[in-house]
């Protein structure tokens, strides 16, 4: 595999499972040293990277906690000396309930992790990249950041806000050599979607039928888009909200 990220450093939040795990592994396969951050330590991401000859460290971090996020970025720079790529991916689905039944607890938790968490990550990552004069950030929103989803008010609000926040960060840093983009995945077969479907075949089939391509995406397919947006191949792309969604929002 082409080691396009040789001597580069990538930080991936929510790297223990799902899209974050696939992204961390792909960064390592392409030569990057990877900091894998998550609030759950029990994951095989680091083992897989090391077994394949890559370099990675695990950093325990709750992205909604300011001190954790500052420490996460500090530890990455301390371990590897720089920060070239940041993928702010950690997120939760929240509890399913319509706007008038969404609890304050669900609202606050979902917004704090999915939105405040991404702001906190960029708040700490951008100063490091400004000093280097270069960097690329990919935030993870959702198709729920582009269209509405009944029953998911806090999730949809958080993901729409991440799209706007990404565009603002992109404009603020465009002349400083830092590109900021956001990926909006469709339905991807990860532990999050397994929790939503309960692995019920009928429910899974219903989601597959809603995807124009007739199937769910794989985390590796989202990772490929994240890697491309991070790489110099995307040197003229910033402030973009890229759907990786099997055609969902084209409907
Ligand atoms: P997942 O639940 O499978 O993995 C999410 C990871 O984030 C886990 O490792 C989890 O421990 C971690 N995490 C959650 N909250 C955290 C916190 N506060 N601090 C640190 N780590 C935390 O989910 P996924 O499907 O891989 O989703 C990854 C991202 O993609 C999320 O932002 C999600 O909203 C988004 N997304 C997923 C889908 C999908 O269909 N799977 C679709 C659109 C968007």
């Amino acid at each position: 595999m082409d080691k396009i990220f040789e001597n580069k450093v990538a930080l991936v939040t929510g790297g223990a499972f799902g899209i974050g795990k696939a992204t961390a592994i792909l960064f390592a396969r392409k030569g990057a040293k990877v900091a894998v951050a998550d609030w759950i330590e029990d994951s095989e991401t680091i083992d897989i990277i090391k077994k394949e000859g890559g370099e990675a460290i695990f950093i325990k971090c709750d992205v909604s906690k300011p001190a954790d996020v500052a420490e996460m970025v500090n530890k990455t720079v301390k371990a590897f000396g720089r920060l070239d790529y940041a993928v702010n991916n950690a997120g939760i689905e929240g509890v399913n309930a319509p706007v008038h039944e969404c609890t304050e607890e669900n609202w606050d938790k979902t917004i704090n992790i999915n939105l405040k968490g991404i702001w906190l990550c960029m708040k700490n990552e951008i100063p490091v990249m400004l000093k280097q004069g270069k960097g690329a950030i990919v935030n993870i929103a959702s198709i729920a950041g582009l269209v509405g989803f009944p029953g998911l008010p806090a999730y949809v609000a958080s993901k729409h806000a991440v799209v706007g926040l990404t565009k603002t960060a992109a404009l603020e840093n465009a002349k400083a050599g830092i590109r900021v983009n956001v990926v909006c995945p469709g339905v991807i077969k990860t532990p999050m979607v397994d929790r939503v479907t309960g692995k019920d075949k009928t429910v899974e089939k219903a989601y597959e039928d809603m995807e124009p391509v007739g199937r769910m995406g794989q985390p590796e397919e989202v990772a490929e888009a994240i890697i491309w947006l991070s790489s110099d191949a995307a040197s003229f792309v910033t402030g973009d909200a890229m759907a990786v969604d099997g055609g969902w929002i084209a409907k």
Side-chain angles (χ1 to χ4, degrees):
M1 189 171 282
D2 201 8
K3 302 271 187 198
I4 54 169
F5 297 137
E6 196 100 68
N7 299 320
K8 301 288 188 189
V9 176
L11 165 65
V12 181
T13 72
F17 299 101
I19 292 167
K21 176 183 173 186
T23 302
I25 291 169
L26 195 51
F27 261 117
R29 286 184 184 154
K30 291 188 178 280
K33 296 169 192 159
V34 188
V36 177
D38 207 289
W39 63 358
I40 296 175
E41 272 177 82
D42 182 22
S43 145
E44 56 181 18
T45 310
I46 300 284
D47 289 347
I48 291 173
I49 291 174
K50 288 192 172 162
K51 219 173 271 171
E52 293 183 358
E55 215 176 312
I57 54 164
F58 178 81
I59 301 170
K60 190 160 182 176
C61 168
D62 177 344
V63 295
S64 68
K65 299 210 168 120
D68 277 23
V69 177
E71 185 68 4
M72 171 185 80
V73 174
N74 283 340
K75 279 185 177 164
T76 304
V77 175
K78 204 168 168 201
F80 296 134
R82 52 188 296 114
L83 177 62
D84 299 287
Y85 312 109
V87 180
N88 301 317
N89 158 80
I92 57 165
E93 63 275 29
V95 179
N96 205 307
V99 172
H100 65 288
E101 287 171 7
C102 176
T103 63
E104 188 176 354
E105 187 194 1
N106 179 47
W107 180 268
D108 287 346
K109 190 173 178 191
T110 307
I111 297 289
N112 278 340
I113 293 174
N114 292 5
L115 174 56
K116 184 180 173 188
I118 288 198
W119 166 65
L120 286 172
C121 286
M122 290 200 289
K123 187 175 168 61
N124 286 276
E125 293 155 358
I126 288 170
V128 179
M129 293 178 174
L130 283 173
K131 267 191 217 147
Q132 294 170 180
K134 196 173 175 185
I137 295 174
V138 177
N139 295 321
I140 307 303
S142 167
I143 46 174
L146 302 171
V147 294
F149 277 82
L152 288 173
Y155 186 79
V156 168
S158 72
K159 295 301 189 179
H160 272 71
V162 166
V163 171
L165 179 63
T166 300
K167 290 177 181 173
T168 297
L171 293 174
E172 287 173 356
N173 294 285
K175 290 203 171 61
I178 303 170
R179 295 181 300 103
V180 190
N181 292 289
V182 55
V183 164
C184 300
V187 185
I188 312 299
K189 185 87 170 96
T190 65
M192 180 184 281
V193 160
D194 285 346
R195 283 192 297 275
V196 170
T197 63
K199 294 193 186 175
D200 181 311
K201 293 288 166 216
T202 314
V203 181
E204 286 183 347
K205 173 84 171 54
Y207 276 102
E208 285 162 10
D209 288 345
M210 282 188 274
E211 277 288 5
V213 295
R215 66 173 177 86
M216 291 188 201
Q218 293 300 320
E220 291 75 17
E221 295 178 285
V222 183
E224 288 287 354
I226 295 168
I227 291 291
W228 181 77
L229 280 172
S230 302
S231 77
D232 285 347
S235 52
F236 203 54
V237 183
T238 196
D240 189 42
M242 180 194 276
V244 182
D245 68 343
W248 186 297
I249 61 153
K251 287 189 282 186

